[in-house]
Structure formats: C-alpha cells, structure tokens
Amino acid sequence: MRTRPLKVALLGCGVVGSEVARIMTTHADDLAARIGAPVELAGVAVRRPSKVREGIDPALVTTDATALVKRGDIDVVIEVIGGIEPARTLITTAFEHGASVVSANKALLAEDGATLYAAAERHGRDLYFEAAVAGAIPLIRPLRESLAGDKVNRVLGIVNGTTNFILDKMDTSGAGYTEALDEATALGYAEADPTADVEGFDAAAKAAILASIAFHTRVRLDDVHREGLTEVTAADIASAKRMGCTVKLLAICERAADGRSVTARVHPAMIPLSHPLASVREAYNAVFVESEAAGQLMFYGPGAGGAPTASAVLGDLVAVCRNKLAGATGPGESAYTQLPVSPMGEVVTRYHISLDVADKPGVLAQVATVFAEHGVSIDTVRQQGKDGEASLVVVTHRAPDAALSGTVEALRKLDTVRGVASIMRVEGE
Amino acid sequence: MRTRPLKVALLGCGVVGSEVARIMTTHADDLAARIGAPVELAGVAVRRPSKVREGIDPALVTTDATALVKRGDIDVVIEVIGGIEPARTLITTAFEHGASVVSANKALLAEDGATLYAAAERHGRDLYFEAAVAGAIPLIRPLRESLAGDKVNRVLGIVNGTTNFILDKMDTSGAGYTEALDEATALGYAEADPTADVEGFDAAAKAAILASIAFHTRVRLDDVHREGLTEVTAADIASAKRMGCTVKLLAICERAADGRSVTARVHPAMIPLSHPLASVREAYNAVFVESEAAGQLMFYGPGAGGAPTASAVLGDLVAVCRNKLAGATGPGESAYTQLPVSPMGEVVTRYHISLDVADKPGVLAQVATVFAEHGVSIDTVRQQGKDGEASLVVVTHRAPDAALSGTVEALRKLDTVRGVASIMRVEGE
C-alpha cells in the first residue's frame, strides 16, 4: 500500500459534511485498505469558522474555499455546500488545480451539469455524484455502469423524502396537506422553507439527472415538467383509495415509444396499491428502472439524511481515489444520443377526473361527447347523485397529456359542469 | 473515438451467451459510444458446433476454447459456461494471454475465487462478475463500489428464483412441495435436475460471494451453512401464516455483534408479511443490505433468465473495456479484514418449533424446563389439544443456533413429546 496519503478538501461542514469528516476519521483504516493508500482530510471550508466541530482539527478549517481548491496538493474535493454559486466556480477551479470532485449538488448538476463534465474532461479529472440523487441508494452508479450495456426505457420513482412523508401521513391519517406538512416540519423532515420539496423542484432536479444518465442525453431542470403537491387534497387521497390506489409524488423519465425523444416530469399521481412504490412509507425513496434486457429493477432505501448521504459520498471518494492511483478516470458525460426532450403535452398518460355536475338527464352524454371530441377514450365512469347535485368520476385510457388537459378545459366550459373537483394522473399500471 | 475494435471471446453460447451475442450485434453502436471504441465478437467457443446459432457468423464458432483464450489478440473473455473446470483453467489462461474476464460463474467464484483474483492481479487484468449473483440486479457493483466507504453489517436476500417460485406457489395455492416443484419444472423455472436450486447449493454459492465482498474477507462455499427447502411442508407454510409470516429461502450473511467474525447461511425461514422480502413473488430476487451509514437498502429484480443475465454481463463488458482503454483495472479482491467464518452453532437466531405432545397436565412445564436448561428464552407458546393429543407451538427469543438445536434434541428425548412436527428459523424482525 502507498503510504503517502491522498489529500481531501471538504467544502461545507453541515449535516452531510460533518458526517463525511467523522467517518473519514473513525474508518480511516478501512478506507485506506480499500483505496490502497491513506486519505487525509487536508482542509475544510465553512461559512462560520467559530462553530465548534467535534473531531475536526480547527487548524484545517478555513472560510476561504477558493484558496483551498487552488492549493494544488488536493487530490479530491468533496462539495457538499449545494446551490449554483459559488459551488460551480469552486468545482471548476478544483478541476483546474488538479483535483477530482465528489459532489452531492443536485441543483447544480441539473442546472449546468454540462459545464462541470466539460471542465472535468478538459483537465482529466473525475466528477462523481452518487449522493445527488436518492441519498444512499446506489442509483447513479447502477445507471452509469451496471446498465451501460442495456437500454433503459423508463425511470419511475419516489425521489423526495419530505413529500413522501407528507403524502404518507395524508394517506394513513386522513390529514390535509397543511396538517401533514406541519407534522413533517415538527419532525425535521421538512425545512423551514419547504418550497424546494413541496413544489417539486428537488425532485425535478433529480429527474433531470436521472434522465440524462439513463438516456445518454442532456436533460436540464428546465426540461422537466414540474407540479408540486400543494394542491393535493384529502379528497384526492380518499378518491385514490376508492380506486385501490394511493397518491405519490413521482419523478418519471421516459423514452418515447418511437425512441426518438424523451420526457421527464414530476407530479403527484395515483398508483395502484399493488405497485411496489405504493408501499414506500415515510421519508424513504425508491426508484424503478425498466430496461430492455434487465426488465424491471427496483432500488430502495433512505433518500436523505447525514449518514446515508455521507455513505454515498464516501463510496464515490473511494472510487475517485482508486482511479487517481491508477492514473485513470471513471465514466464522464455520456450524451451521445442527443435526444430531444418533448414537452408535457406529448407525454402519454391517464387522467382521473372528478367533476361536480348538475344532477339531470343528459349530463353524462354531454361530458362523454367532450372526451370523444378530444380523442380521449374513457376507461370507467362512476356517477353519484344527491339533492340536485352529482359527481362524475372519470378515469381515461392512455392519451397525450395535451388531449387530456384540453378535455378538462372544455369540460370547465360546459354549463352542466359546476366545477372540476380534482384532476390527477394515474401511473404505474 | 478509437476505431480499432476491442475483441471479445465468448465462452459458452447457451441461454445467456446467445443473448450476449445478440445484444452485442443489435446494440453495437450504443456499446461503442459508451465504451469509446467498437467491440467485436472475435470467437465463440461451444460444445456443439453444428447447432445453428442465429446471428452468429459460423466462422467465429470453435470447439477449442483453450486455443481461443490463448489467441493473444482477445481483449475480454466472457465466460458463461459455468462449473469449475474447464472454466477455471480457461479464465486463468485468458489472464495469462492478455485478456480481462467477465464471468457469470457463481459456483467457481464461490469455490475458488481467490485463485481467479490472484491470477487477474498477477497479470494486471480485470475480473468482473455482476451476473454471478441475482442476475440483472446490480448488487456486486453497489457492494464493491457504492458501499466501499461504508461498513456493511448484514446482507439478507432471496437469491434463487426457482425456490422462491416454489415457495410462492406453496404459499398462494396451499400446494405441497412436490406439486409446486412440478409446476416450476413445467413452466421452465426449475431444471430437470433441480438439486442445485432446491438443496440450496446455488444460493449458498451466492451467499459466499456476497459475504466475501460485503465483509472484505474470504468466504467459500464450504463456509456457508446450507439447508434446502425439500423438507418444507404445506403445514410449515400454514403455520407461518398463522404467525403473520411467510416462508422464504434466505441467504443471510452477517457480521457478528463484536465485529470479529462473520457468518453465512442459506435456509428456509419465516419472515413477517410486513417485511419487504415477504412480497417478493414468483421467480424474482431481492436483497437487503444493512450498513452502518447508509442504513437499509433493498435491490429487487429478475434474478435469472437469458436477457437479464446478459444485461449484467454487458454492463461488466462496458466497464472492463473502458478500463482497458484507460490502461487501468477496476477493483480486485478485497479480503484485508481476514475475518473468520463462525459455524452455524454460533449464529444468533430464533426458532419456531411445533411439537406433538401428550395432552396431559405438566407437559408444558416439562417442555419449558428443557428450554430453560439450554438457556433459551421463550417468546410465545400456543397450546392446542384434542382427543388425548396436543400440539405446542413455541417461538423462542434470539439465542445461538447450537443452544436452539440442543433444545430440540433434548425435547425429542422427552417421553411426553411424541414428535417434532416442524422447526423453522424466524428472520427479518
């Protein structure tokens, strides 16, 4: 074994960073044996240097992250500060000055992964980011490497723990969205400002990363259709239950049937209780991958948290260090297919639509005509009436999203339709 | 991209090999783009050269596998013939003559992986074998690489599709073992000679491989305690159901609580219906991995079959080819912990014991005394009596297997115990 240590710079020392530093210290011998050389924490860039950080030598702590990545003796930079800047500049600067990078930064990878990949390749460095998607669950490596000889057609998953916790609470307790969010916040599953989670931005960033890797093309955050779960009601959940379904916030990346384009989207959807994703509880994550030869694979585990995310970061650290010792680099960007990303309107899906209608003869015929005019075929209709009011619950067959949403717009204009109580897509069948 | 192709020799052209060859042809452009160079099938060693193999140039077919691996121009040998010899000699010869190897050979890796690893290392070649365990499910790579910075404490899984199919049939239809085996054979899930599957040899080989990688030590097939499912009865399954459990053939690899030894075993066990492994149906495989930082991860998918296994082989082929182009090798053997493998007697587990006893006063006290004498604590007892006969169903707390089996031996000697109707371990709680 080489005795001269590989030097690691840590950018950020919050929940994940402090756990990375802790494991690097407590498991130093194991890491050295697995890498073939010891690894040494050579510097830790933080915003608040005065904060006491147990187990970290204060002499290593700096507020000057730029100087740290420019030192020139750093072999690997671990970036766990998140956000676009200064993370992007720090990472590209690290590449310029001789370091490879392990990052957990989903937002940056989804926004501008191409810049990072290009800088890594230009300087012959590694860019690894298992921790950016679904925490500890190995997903990036299986997609980039294990399935490199296969053709992935679909990735469907629960990739945000906060929203899964909220929906699980709503499902099990009948709570409304606000009540469930309050509980998630109280238990530390939701941040003080939950926007990134509940509006689907976090899941959309992960969908962009997964789609890019799965389909060997470039999919950016802006390419991902995004709907959060703030409008999911207790009535929607109850409605899903009546259908033998539950509601999950899903990230769905698909190759079009003709293979010439891809789509990526995040939205709440009903899935059958028999689907394995339906039983993913609390803040857990799970991702289905469907490929031509392997068939259906599922990966399940904790999608966030300091220790699980640190596990993913350290797995990447070992890989990057091994590559460094071998004088090689791991897989870089693979975007050779250059498939266009189609808009949401072209996605083929199914709708569950709940309408409040006048309770009089001919209403169903009128509604059915609107569906037919938009080329949308109806799978089932359930009609309930009382006291002059009635509700119609329609589940469609598969149709392009544009035709489905066009149908809903037309339904809203009917005199006999008093309101559209809920619209939700149905997936996983 | 490099235009000179990497040359691949295929040893074996059965269900898996023919699928590998097919995908190498139909997806040649994708493979080339992902590897950075084209790959060319340069030779196919078979036993029956006269058999027509669609899509394979007959000029490539040979019966002389040894000459093929000695050619010297072969970059990667794919070994899918299975068994110990001639596979072992062919693989080590391939290493000597310049090739890296992708293998699906669980028996050989479990029997003598050390020889293969040593030969690969001596000659600076790669040895990859994702397909050897759980077919298409990425498991070797996540354990060898994704979790390389973590400490795995337990691997628990269903790694044999045939036996899971049989147990699933017994569970859902109430069929006996023989009837369920017949159905598995008729549907092609069981081979004409099902010994390797039903006696647990196949699962034990996989357990040896998983334990070796998970614990960074050497675990061989002989180290794995093995019990098949031929003695599982419809009554056992019914008994499990009454406990809210189902019966699965599990491969379990554990690090001892003190961290100083490991165990590996394959046997039928009751697991609670609420455990995710309980819902793994038909011939699917699923493996739980518990590690210190990542927590509980689960990997699920098709554990066998031509196309899924080929997917795993081709993922490895891409990795090995990339390494070759980079002049590097991937991870080799990691056995630095040199942990001893403890015998089954030291494994801590729980027993579900069903006894036929005389229906008279004092029997329970007598039975309970035997448990106490062996230091085994009882969790629950269910007593049922009719017509002078009675049954006692005892579920123990956790205890060393030697104490549990010692208890059973002593129970057999009691006059009041007419027979031990069933013994099964309880796991997954």
Side-chain angles (χ1 to χ4, degrees):
Chain A
M1 198 198 302
R2 185 175 113 157
T3 51
R4 189 162 52 83
L6 289 156
K7 293 190 176 177
V8 176
L10 183 58
L11 309 183
C13 200
V15 176
V16 177
S18 58
E19 195 64 19
V20 168
R22 190 189 66 75
I23 297 174
M24 279 184 67
T25 307
T26 55
H27 291 56
D29 292 347
D30 281 318
L31 291 171
R34 296 172 192 183
I35 290 166
V39 278
E40 175 190 303
L41 193 57
V44 182
V46 301
R47 275 183 302 185
R48 288 174 299 157
S50 56
K51 188 175 158 191
V52 176
R53 293 178 172 84
E54 203 185 334
I56 294 179
D57 180 354
L60 297 179
V61 175
T62 174
T63 54
D64 193 345
T66 305
L68 181 56
V69 300
K70 279 185 176 173
R71 261 171 53 172
D73 66 333
I74 303 294
D75 295 289
V76 185
V77 167
I78 295 176
E79 183 270 307
V80 286
I81 49 180
I84 307 302
E85 286 294 350
R88 175 169 46 198
T89 303
L90 289 169
I91 291 174
T92 53
T93 307
F95 289 143
E96 281 166 36
H97 289 81
S100 282
V101 173
V102 174
S103 172
N105 195 329
K106 69 210 101 184
L108 175 54
L109 281 155
E111 174 78 24
D112 196 13
T115 295
L116 305 186
Y117 278 124
E121 191 175 346
R122 193 161 55 244
H123 299 286
R125 317 288 179 221
D126 267 331
L127 171 65
Y128 276 58
F129 49 88
E130 183 65 76
V133 181
I137 309 172
L139 204 53
I140 301 299
R141 185 171 277 102
L143 282 171
R144 281 220 284 193
E145 304 182 41
S146 306
L147 290 165
D150 205 337
K151 185 176 182 183
V152 176
N153 288 321
R154 195 154 186 252
V155 178
L156 171 93
I158 296 166
V159 294
N160 180 275
T162 306
T163 47
N164 200 58
F165 182 90
I166 293 171
L167 289 168
D168 187 31
K169 278 295 140 195
M170 291 175 73
D171 186 76
T172 50
S173 72
Y177 164 72
T178 311
E179 196 184 328
L181 172 61
D182 287 348
E183 187 172 347
T185 310
L187 291 170
Y189 286 118
E191 294 180 46
D193 176 359
T195 310
D197 292 319
V198 301
E199 296 291 358
F201 289 101
D202 175 85
K206 291 164 179 170
I209 295 170
L210 291 173
S212 299
I213 296 175
F215 306 134
H216 298 266
T217 191
R218 259 181 214 165
V219 179
R220 296 183 53 198
L221 181 58
D222 288 348
D223 298 321
V224 182
H225 174 83
R226 180 190 51 75
E227 297 171 32
L229 53 53
T230 54
E231 287 172 28
V232 175
T233 63
D236 289 330
I237 307 269
S239 205
K241 277 193 181 173
R242 275 194 297 274
M243 274 188 67
C245 288
T246 187
V247 176
K248 295 290 185 189
L249 187 75
L250 298 180
I252 307 173
C253 313
E254 288 174 314
R255 190 189 292 276
D258 67 4
R260 293 194 188 155
S261 64
V262 298
T263 54
R265 54 193 162 117
V266 167
H267 56 70
M270 294 181 181
I271 55 168
L273 290 176
S274 59
H275 195 281
L277 290 180
S279 53
V280 176
R281 310 296 301 278
E282 305 203 316
Y284 276 83
N285 283 193
V287 177
F288 253 80
V289 177
E290 292 177 21
S291 68
E292 209 172 78
Q296 282 201 333
L297 302 171
M298 187 171 84
F299 304 81
Y300 168 93
T309 310
S311 171
V313 166
L314 288 162
D316 279 353
L317 176 65
V318 171
V320 169
C321 287
R322 280 175 179 165
N323 290 344
K324 194 106 186 182
L325 292 178
T329 53
E333 183 176 32
S334 178
Y336 69 93
T337 63
Q338 298 184 34
L339 294 168
V341 185
S342 299
M344 187 62 198
E346 293 178 23
V347 169
V348 174
T349 180
R350 299 172 63 198
Y351 271 30
H352 172 281
I353 304 165
S354 185
L355 303 170
D356 294 326
V357 296
D359 189 12
K360 58 184 186 185
V363 172
L364 177 55
Q366 217 179 9
V367 165
T369 303
V370 171
F371 279 89
E373 283 168 357
H374 287 81
V376 175
S377 165
I378 291 174
D379 179 19
T380 58
V381 180
R382 198 174 65 241
Q383 196 165 193
Q384 282 177 311
K386 57 172 186 189
D387 308 329
E389 294 203 357
S391 73
L392 268 185
V393 177
V394 181
V395 181
T396 73
H397 279 299
R398 285 163 60 80
D401 202 81
L404 292 160
S405 58
T407 306
V408 173
E409 283 320 295
L411 290 170
R412 284 187 205 277
K413 289 176 191 147
L414 290 182
D415 288 345
T416 48
V417 172
R418 294 184 180 155
V420 178
S422 102
I423 314 165
M424 198 168 291
R425 296 184 187 89
V426 183
E427 299 286 341
E429 290 174 308
Chain B
M1 198 200 301
R2 185 175 111 156
T3 51
R4 189 161 53 83
L6 289 155
K7 292 190 177 175
V8 176
L10 184 59
L11 309 184
C13 200
V15 176
V16 176
S18 59
E19 194 64 18
V20 168
R22 190 189 66 75
I23 297 174
M24 281 185 67
T25 307
T26 54
H27 291 56
D29 291 348
D30 281 318
L31 292 171
R34 296 172 192 183
I35 290 167
V39 277
E40 176 189 302
L41 193 57
V44 183
V46 301
R47 275 184 302 185
R48 287 174 296 157
S50 56
K51 189 176 159 191
V52 176
R53 293 177 171 84
E54 203 184 334
I56 294 178
D57 180 354
L60 298 178
V61 175
T62 173
T63 53
D64 192 345
T66 306
L68 181 57
V69 299
K70 280 186 175 173
R71 259 171 54 174
D73 66 332
I74 302 295
D75 295 289
V76 186
V77 167
I78 296 175
E79 184 270 306
V80 286
I81 48 179
I84 307 302
E85 286 293 350
R88 176 169 47 199
T89 304
L90 289 170
I91 290 174
T92 53
T93 306
F95 289 144
E96 281 166 37
H97 290 81
S100 283
V101 171
V102 174
S103 172
N105 194 330
K106 69 209 99 179
L108 176 55
L109 281 154
E111 175 78 23
D112 196 15
T115 296
L116 305 187
Y117 277 124
E121 192 174 346
R122 193 162 54 245
H123 299 286
R125 319 288 178 220
D126 268 330
L127 171 64
Y128 276 57
F129 49 88
E130 183 65 76
V133 181
I137 309 172
L139 204 53
I140 302 299
R141 186 172 278 102
L143 282 172
R144 282 221 283 194
E145 305 182 41
S146 306
L147 291 165
D150 206 336
K151 185 177 181 182
V152 175
N153 289 320
R154 197 155 185 253
V155 178
L156 172 93
I158 295 166
V159 294
N160 181 275
T162 306
T163 47
N164 200 59
F165 183 89
I166 292 170
L167 288 168
D168 187 31
K169 278 296 141 194
M170 291 174 74
D171 186 75
T172 50
S173 72
Y177 165 71
T178 311
E179 195 184 330
L181 172 61
D182 287 348
E183 186 171 347
T185 310
L187 292 169
Y189 287 117
E191 292 180 46
D193 176 359
T195 310
D197 293 320
V198 300
E199 295 293 357
F201 289 101
D202 174 86
K206 292 165 178 168
I209 296 170
L210 291 173
S212 299
I213 297 175
F215 305 134
H216 298 267
T217 192
R218 260 182 213 164
V219 179
R220 295 183 54 198
L221 180 58
D222 288 346
D223 299 321
V224 182
H225 175 83
R226 179 190 51 77
E227 296 171 32
L229 53 51
T230 53
E231 286 170 28
V232 176
T233 63
D236 290 330
I237 307 266
S239 205
K241 277 194 180 169
R242 274 194 297 274
M243 277 187 65
C245 287
T246 187
V247 176
K248 294 291 185 189
L249 187 75
L250 298 180
I252 307 174
C253 312
E254 287 174 315
R255 190 190 292 275
D258 67 5
R260 293 192 188 155
S261 63
V262 298
T263 53
R265 53 191 161 121
V266 167
H267 56 70
M270 295 183 179
I271 55 168
L273 290 175
S274 58
H275 194 282
L277 290 181
S279 53
V280 175
R281 310 298 302 276
E282 304 202 318
Y284 275 84
N285 282 194
V287 177
F288 254 79
V289 177
E290 291 178 23
S291 68
E292 208 173 78
Q296 282 201 333
L297 302 172
M298 188 173 83
F299 304 81
Y300 168 92
T309 309
S311 171
V313 166
L314 288 162
D316 280 352
L317 176 67
V318 170
V320 169
C321 287
R322 280 175 178 165
N323 290 344
K324 193 106 187 181
L325 292 179
T329 51
E333 183 176 32
S334 178
Y336 70 93
T337 63
Q338 297 184 33
L339 294 168
V341 185
S342 300
M344 188 63 198
E346 294 179 22
V347 169
V348 176
T349 180
R350 298 172 66 199
Y351 271 29
H352 172 282
I353 304 166
S354 187
L355 303 170
D356 294 327
V357 296
D359 190 10
K360 58 184 186 187
V363 173
L364 178 54
Q366 218 180 7
V367 165
T369 304
V370 172
F371 278 89
E373 283 168 357
H374 288 81
V376 174
S377 167
I378 291 174
D379 181 19
T380 59
V381 180
R382 200 175 61 239
Q383 197 166 192
Q384 281 178 315
K386 56 171 188 191
D387 307 330
E389 295 202 356
S391 72
L392 269 185
V393 177
V394 180
V395 182
T396 73
H397 279 299
R398 284 163 60 80
D401 202 80
L404 292 160
S405 56
T407 306
V408 173
E409 283 319 297
L411 289 171
R412 285 187 204 276
K413 288 177 191 150
L414 289 182
D415 287 345
T416 47
V417 170
R418 296 187 177 152
V420 179
S422 100
I423 313 165
M424 198 169 289
R425 298 186 186 85
V426 183
E427 300 285 340
E429 289 174 308

